[in-house]
Amino acid sequence: MSFDVVDGKDVRVGIIRTRWNEKHVSNLVEGCKKALKECGVKDENVFETSVPGCFELPLAARFLALSG
């Protein structure tokens, strides 16, 4: 299966990571950043923050979405 070329040069992305299970979460975040770079998303358009665990993820996502 093939996909059209994705132009991410004007896309802004927020990554919210947990501090729990650092090894696995770090691997996931690095893979995400690699994929974003392949899609043309600029490094300065990627915002990354962390929360203690999974219970804080929904609230962090809400704050990030409301921040514009």
Side-chain angles (χ1 to χ4, degrees):
M1 174 181 271
S2 65
F3 297 96
D4 292 335
V5 175
V6 177
D7 180 13
K9 67 180 180 205
D10 295 322
V11 175
R12 292 172 46 206
V13 177
I15 299 172
I16 306 168
R17 62 185 296 153
T18 63
R19 292 188 289 266
W20 182 79
N21 211 343
E22 182 67 29
K23 177 183 173 184
H24 297 295
V25 172
S26 292
N27 287 335
L28 289 168
V29 169
E30 291 309 311
C32 180
K33 287 181 178 180
K34 180 180 175 190
L36 290 170
K37 188 173 286 265
E38 290 173 2
C39 292
V41 177
K42 300 173 188 170
D43 288 338
E44 60 266 18
N45 287 348
V46 177
F47 172 79
E48 184 178 344
T49 191
S50 64
V51 294
C54 64
F55 289 111
E56 294 82 9
L57 285 172
L59 185 58
R62 176 179 165 83
F63 287 154
L64 186 60
L66 293 173
S67 73

